[in-house]
Amino acid sequence: MADGATTPNSCKLDLSKSKNNDDGSPKEKKLKPWPNDFRLMDIGIVSCVLIVGIIIAVVVIFTQKEPQEPQRPTTQLFDVLKNSANFLPESYEDIIATTEDNTPQERAADWVIHKDTRKVVSAFDKWFIVRYVLATLFYSTGGETSWMDKTGWLQDENTCEWKGVECVGNTSVERIVGVEQFVELDLNRNGLEGKIPEEVALLDNLKSVFLNNNKLNGTIPAEFGNMTLLEVIHLQKNELTGDMPASLIDLTTEPGVLTDILSDCGDSGLIQCEDCEDLWCASTRKDAIFNKLLYETTALPESVDNYYSLVERGIPTLPDDYAAIIDTMDSNTPQERAADWLLHKDPRPLNTPDDKWLLVRYALATLFFSTGGETSWVDKSNWLEHEDTCKWKGVRCSGNSTLVENFESLTLTNNNLTGEITPDFGLLDEVKFVYMNDNELTGTIPPELGGMLSARNVYIQANELTGQVPDTVIELLYDDNGIFLKDNLVDFRSDCGTSAKIDCLGQCFLEWCF
């Protein structure tokens, strides 16, 4: 082949375009970059999408409406009030912003319809009427200015949390609490001034009403006679006048209805009541209760067995008239001071002379005053201050504390009791366990302890007591044949024994003597 000639069928290899590397491996393909104009277009599209999204979000946020509360049926609510109560204008529009010229009823309606934080939205809500009535009472009796304690009133959504409103059962969530659980209204000693509004009678589920010891004036509303479940109403120590409503007296004739009514009636009272019993008037009730004290503490009940004839359960130092018991003075006896406290100062409302707690609180008050309760006791928590005796230091009750039969034990061990055990201690005939050991008690063991027929254990050792164990106590241990009574007093401990201060006349077990 001549030089420079070409061969059509020959193949010329261009190594620069080889698809393999020098070592024979395939070369990695490289993607061609997008042209600059395409890259700018991509960025623009993304930016537009983001901007539109932000604009939409802002529009949604600023145009979205806040959740609306349910529309309150103002007219319907007002109509419910008009159908239930008096002294309201013809239309709810007439109830404008509260002014001093508005009546308590108008102010209460304004509050319950427009301002109540509970936000009633149904005219069928029974608490609506209850809260209206309580608001009327609040505005009628100086709730804003003179009440001593108005905790929760017109503020708390749960009516059962208002001061003096007592509900039974689970009341933590008012929405599921029925108005029938509202059973007591207690505003005793709370600075109420003004008139009692007749609307209170709309609280027809109430069983107890305590409005005593205030400065209420005017008359007792006749509408109270509509409260057919009422058992107790105390209105004494006020400035109420006029007649006792016949409708209220009529309730006392119904079985189980209004068994305890108390007001300032009687010869020297402000309330006129020809048909009232002595127990219904504050002054004459004290006479009846004092006579109960005087009788129970100076004579044996007829039910006591004959072998207790040796027991002189008596307090000869009590005067013949409760009026002679004046303000407590140092010269008064423990019994007089106890009677004075019970009749004039006891926070527990006085009931009838047949109230079994009456004698128990009297006996405990006498013990308090006779053994240095004011000056030497280490712990006197709630004594003479709490209306529930079972909450006093050392007083233990089992079950329902309203039943004196549940007074289980009295424990005042090592509490620095000084002075003497008075005969009145024998009135505690329901208590089962008494522990007053390790104190500084002096004097003798009263024979009246033999009246404690329910006692099982009595510990009075490690004191400064002297004398003999009374025969009446021994008789709780043995029957007439000298056989140990296992169902009576089974453990009586004192400082008895051959070298001790107490003579047990050979009747005590050795383990009872310390």
Side-chain angles (χ1 to χ4, degrees):
M1 181 180 295
D3 290 339
T6 59
T7 305
N9 297 328
S10 65
C11 181
K12 186 176 180 180
L13 180 61
D14 186 358
L15 296 177
S16 64
K17 295 183 179 180
S18 175
K19 296 182 179 180
N20 296 328
N21 294 317
D22 293 340
D23 59 1
S25 60
K27 286 186 177 181
E28 182 179 352
K29 292 184 178 180
K30 295 183 179 180
L31 297 176
K32 293 182 180 181
W34 283 35
N36 288 336
D37 53 347
F38 281 102
R39 295 176 65 188
L40 292 175
M41 184 182 299
D42 182 45
I43 294 174
I45 292 174
V46 172
S47 299
C48 290
V49 171
L50 289 175
I51 292 173
V52 171
I54 292 173
I55 293 174
I56 293 174
V58 171
V59 171
V60 169
I61 291 174
F62 283 95
T63 58
Q64 184 177 16
K65 295 183 179 179
E66 294 183 1
Q68 297 294 316
E69 293 182 358
Q71 185 65 36
R72 305 182 75 191
T74 310
T75 303
Q76 292 91 327
L77 292 177
F78 184 81
D79 289 342
V80 170
L81 292 183
K82 284 290 293 181
N83 291 332
S84 303
N86 299 321
F87 312 113
L88 288 173
E90 293 299 323
S91 168
Y92 85 90
E93 287 88 355
D94 295 329
I95 301 177
I96 57 175
T98 300
T99 65
E100 295 181 357
D101 295 333
N102 283 5
T103 66
Q105 290 81 2
E106 288 175 335
R107 298 188 67 185
D110 175 44
W111 173 80
V112 76
I113 292 177
H114 301 128
K115 303 172 183 176
D116 186 356
T117 56
R118 190 170 180 271
K119 295 181 175 60
V120 177
V121 296
S122 170
F124 298 101
D125 185 346
K126 294 182 179 180
W127 279 107
F128 174 62
I129 292 295
V130 170
R131 290 171 76 88
Y132 164 75
V133 171
L134 293 177
T136 302
L137 176 66
F138 182 82
Y139 288 123
S140 298
T141 59
E144 296 168 296
T145 56
S146 66
W147 281 26
M148 298 170 60
D149 188 348
K150 52 185 175 183
T151 303
W153 280 72
L154 309 195
Q155 296 177 356
D156 203 308
E157 293 185 13
N158 189 345
T159 318
C160 296
E161 297 296 326
W162 294 11
K163 159 68 180 177
V165 174
E166 301 292 336
C167 302
V168 295
N170 182 7
T171 60
S172 58
V173 182
E174 189 196 49
R175 295 287 180 181
I176 62 174
V177 177
V179 292
E180 65 276 1
Q181 292 178 244
F182 177 19
V183 296
E184 179 176 301
L185 178 63
D186 186 357
L187 294 172
N188 169 41
R189 299 180 188 274
N190 203 42
L192 276 66
E193 298 179 351
K195 297 181 179 181
I196 304 174
E198 65 181 43
E199 284 82 4
V200 173
L202 295 175
L203 305 176
D204 51 10
N205 285 300
L206 287 184
K207 295 183 179 180
S208 304
V209 174
F210 299 101
L211 299 176
N212 49 298
N213 295 88
N214 287 294
K215 295 182 180 180
L216 297 170
N217 54 46
T219 59
I220 301 174
E223 288 75 12
F224 278 2
N226 297 328
M227 304 173 72
T228 56
L229 298 181
L230 195 62
E231 298 175 0
V232 179
I233 182 168
H234 284 188
L235 302 170
Q236 78 278 11
K237 296 295 182 67
N238 280 292
E239 299 171 5
L240 297 167
T241 58
D243 295 331
M244 176 69 70
S247 58
L248 202 56
I249 296 177
D250 289 342
L251 289 181
T252 64
T253 63
E254 300 293 330
V257 180
L258 198 54
T259 58
D260 185 8
I261 177 174
L262 192 57
S263 72
D264 295 313
C265 56
D267 295 337
S268 59
L270 300 174
I271 300 295
Q272 304 302 313
C273 185
E274 295 181 359
D275 298 325
C276 287
E277 300 179 7
D278 288 345
L279 290 177
W280 298 356
C281 304
S283 58
T284 50
R285 173 176 291 200
K286 287 182 179 179
D287 276 324
I289 290 177
F290 183 81
N291 289 336
K292 175 75 171 182
L293 284 182
L294 197 62
Y295 171 77
E296 290 291 341
T297 56
T298 56
L300 287 172
E302 295 179 357
S303 60
V304 176
D305 295 338
N306 292 333
Y307 65 79
Y308 288 111
S309 60
L310 296 175
V311 182
E312 295 180 1
R313 299 169 74 188
I315 308 174
T317 53
L318 275 180
D320 292 334
D321 182 3
Y322 90 92
I325 299 179
I326 57 175
D327 290 341
T328 300
M329 299 181 297
D330 292 339
S331 59
N332 283 7
T333 66
Q335 292 86 355
E336 288 177 329
R337 299 189 68 185
D340 174 45
W341 170 79
L342 184 71
L343 294 168
H344 304 130
K345 304 167 185 175
D346 186 355
R348 183 175 183 268
L350 287 172
N351 292 319
T352 68
D354 295 325
D355 181 357
K356 293 183 178 180
W357 279 110
L358 182 73
L359 292 179
V360 170
R361 289 174 76 87
Y362 168 78
L364 292 175
T366 303
L367 176 69
F368 181 84
F369 288 122
S370 66
T371 60
E374 297 171 294
T375 57
S376 67
W377 281 24
V378 175
D379 189 348
K380 55 183 176 183
S381 301
N382 291 332
W383 275 70
L384 310 193
E385 295 179 353
H386 203 290
E387 63 182 34
D388 186 350
T389 318
C390 298
K391 294 187 182 299
W392 293 10
K393 161 67 181 176
V395 176
R396 180 179 177 274
C397 300
S398 60
N400 188 348
S401 63
T402 62
L403 302 177
V404 73
E405 293 82 2
N406 291 331
F407 183 7
E408 186 80 11
S409 63
L410 176 63
T411 304
L412 295 171
T413 300
N414 199 23
N415 202 40
N416 202 32
L417 275 66
T418 60
E420 300 182 359
I421 304 174
T422 65
D424 319 272
F425 200 76
L427 294 172
L428 302 177
D429 53 6
E430 297 287 351
V431 68
K432 300 172 181 62
F433 305 97
V434 175
Y435 304 106
M436 295 197 299
N437 50 294
D438 294 275
N439 286 293
E440 300 294 330
L441 295 171
T442 58
T444 61
I445 302 174
E448 286 78 9
L449 262 64
M452 301 175 67
L453 304 181
S454 300
R456 303 282 290 170
N457 293 358
V458 175
Y459 288 9
I460 53 174
Q461 76 275 15
N463 280 289
E464 300 297 326
L465 296 167
T466 57
Q468 297 180 346
V469 176
D471 291 339
T472 52
V473 174
I474 299 297
E475 289 172 344
L476 290 179
L477 304 172
Y478 303 95
D479 64 12
D480 294 338
N481 298 319
I483 299 176
F484 180 63
L485 298 171
K486 296 181 180 180
D487 295 330
N488 285 6
L489 183 60
V490 296
D491 194 355
F492 180 83
R493 301 188 183 187
S494 68
D495 296 315
C496 55
T498 55
S499 60
K501 310 161 192 173
I502 300 293
D503 184 0
C504 202
L505 305 177
Q507 301 293 323
C508 295
F509 290 113
L510 183 61
E511 58 267 25
W512 293 0
C513 298
F514 290 80

